[in-house]
Amino acid sequence: MAFFKITLIRSAIGLPKKTTGVLQALGLRKRMATVFHPVSPQVAGQIMAVKELVAVSEVEKALSKAELKATRKPDPGYYIETPASEAFEPHI
């Protein structure tokens, strides 16, 4: 089953209540929040009503909160190739 991955990119501050109501119906409250909805004509219509504010992609599987958090985690920036104890052994 396919899902829409919907991320709120732009804020709805200052927009009509109809627009903010559509965002609330989709479950989007804060910027950069991501929700998953099954592909259906009803959800597609809601997306079209707020298409300027959201980024949408179609995915095969809905991710859990923990899986979404893991995808946002950056690389540590360094890699340990040898343990420190081996690095400082005297070479004879």
Side-chain angles (χ1 to χ4, degrees), residues 88-92:
F88 295 111
E89 289 181 359
H91 295 283
I92 303 175

Side-chain angles (χ1 to χ4, degrees), residues 81-91:
E81 294 180 6
T82 60
S85 60
E86 293 176 11
F88 295 111
E89 289 181 359
H91 295 283

